[in-house]
Amino acid sequence: MINSVLKTVCKNGITYFIFPRWEKYTFIGHGFSSRLGGVSEGSFASLNLSHRVGDFPGAVNENLKRFLGIWEQTTGSLVCGEQVHGTSVFSVEENVTCNDSSGKGRVIPAVDALVTAVPGVVLGALSADCLISFFLDPLTPAIGLAHAGWRGTCSGILAGVVDSMRHYFGSKIDQLEVYLSPCIRECCYEVGEEVLNFCAVSPWRKDIVFIPGITPGRPFLDLQKTNFNILQGLGIRAEKIYRSGYCTCCNQHLFYSYRGAKGSPTGRQMGIFFLR
Ligand SMILES: [Zn+2]
């Protein structure tokens, strides 16, 4: 796994991040938002991109307009999964750019990962601690975007994305590249019995990395390393898996963190990914 410090970009008043290793691929657009540069207030300040956390719809619409506008996109071409911490993958097969009156884009029910080979389809995924994995097959080309916390990771969502990209697009495993977004990291992700019991029976249990903490029975989960191990086990080359350095919980001036908010409402950042 390659540590790849994200490149910070400030544009139109918004701060967001791009992946340095993928700047050479001019046929893709990608980005990961920070919480800076939007109009939401209070605990949602300021660039909350989720309509499902109790923020004012008008504020979220304006934030989405600003963020997607960086790539001259709108919610009319945005496709997101409902994100239910499951393992379902949906292949977006057509670009139905529409005049999106809901302001939410297309939301595919009961899905946590999306793949596509259709130019102009903008895949989006929301998170506040969960990991967003960006999958790129630069030769076909085809892309995938997955949302996963511990449950999705340990249930096999990554295998689902890889299988889907092979099945739908003929992607070869050894040409896939993966970027792991900012997420809650091993410094802050203390887990307990529910997670440990779930992981103990996961088919990927050998890949799951726990770091002992000071409290017995409450280790810290290394979500990025766990995802790396699983991806490598699936056949993706280690030197084609990149991770960002940021912990969302340690960097709440830059990111929303569900764990960091300690039960208070908070916003969501978004990863977007599309083929031009
Ligand atoms: Zn941390």
Side-chain angles (χ1 to χ4, degrees):
M1 181 158 53
I2 309 284
N3 289 314
S4 175
V5 177
L6 302 190
K7 184 170 169 181
T8 307
V9 183
C10 298
K11 191 175 171 187
N12 302 346
I14 282 180
T15 300
Y16 65 100
F17 303 93
I18 58 171
F19 306 147
R21 300 260 176 169
W22 286 359
E23 281 190 275
K24 63 187 175 189
Y25 295 132
T26 55
F27 56 90
I28 60 169
H30 75 278
F32 192 81
S33 69
S34 76
R35 65 185 296 170
L36 306 176
V39 298
S40 294
E41 296 180 343
S43 63
F44 299 113
S46 64
L47 190 67
N48 167 43
L49 297 172
S50 173
H51 276 287
R52 292 175 55 191
V53 291
D55 195 1
F56 288 110
V60 181
N61 286 343
E62 174 62 22
N63 292 340
L64 283 164
K65 188 176 160 193
R66 290 185 186 187
F67 182 58
L68 296 171
I70 287 165
W71 296 270
E72 296 174 351
Q73 300 287 345
T74 68
T75 56
S77 45
L78 179 67
V79 185
C80 297
E82 186 188 2
Q83 299 189 186
V84 293
H85 296 281
T87 57
S88 293
V89 184
F90 182 84
S91 178
V92 186
E93 312 224 315
E94 55 182 342
N95 183 6
V96 273
T97 303
C98 60
N99 186 0
D100 173 41
S101 58
S102 74
K104 299 175 185 172
R106 278 173 77 193
V107 178
I108 312 297
V111 153
D112 278 79
L114 300 161
V115 296
T116 194
V118 182
V121 171
V122 179
L123 305 182
L126 294 160
S127 80
D129 285 347
C130 284
L131 177 67
I132 309 292
S133 302
F134 293 64
F135 291 76
L136 174 63
D137 164 4
L139 299 183
T140 299
I143 59 173
L145 194 63
H147 157 266
W150 63 268
R151 191 181 290 275
T153 295
C154 301
S155 303
I157 192 165
L158 300 175
V161 174
V162 170
D163 286 347
S164 296
M165 293 184 74
R166 294 170 74 177
H167 173 75
Y168 291 111
F169 317 126
S171 297
K172 302 266 190 301
I173 292 257
D174 64 355
Q175 67 201 36
L176 287 178
E177 299 184 33
V178 182
Y179 247 107
L180 305 178
S181 80
C183 65
I184 189 166
R185 291 198 50 182
E186 61 277 18
C187 37
C188 295
Y189 204 9
E190 190 181 44
V191 296
E193 197 175 5
E194 184 192 9
V195 176
L196 294 174
N197 289 343
F198 192 91
C199 292
V201 295
S202 163
W204 286 273
R205 58 188 173 274
K206 288 192 181 65
D207 295 322
I208 300 169
V209 180
F210 291 109
I211 296 160
I214 46 170
T215 313
R218 295 196 62 82
F220 290 75
L221 174 59
D222 188 336
L223 197 56
Q224 286 193 343
K225 189 75 198 308
T226 298
N227 273 268
F228 167 76
N229 289 343
I230 294 172
L231 289 166
Q232 206 183 14
L234 292 168
I236 298 179
R237 289 162 62 177
E239 68 272 22
K240 292 191 173 186
I241 303 169
Y242 314 112
R243 71 162 162 191
S244 89
Y246 288 110
C247 169
T248 47
C249 193
C250 286
N251 292 281
Q252 291 177 59
H253 59 296
L254 283 177
F255 300 106
Y256 299 105
S257 170
Y258 181 82
R259 183 72 69 103
K262 296 185 171 72
S264 300
T266 193
R268 298 289 183 272
Q269 44 263 353
M270 179 182 275
I272 69 158
F273 201 12
F274 62 97
L275 293 168
R276 296 185 190 275

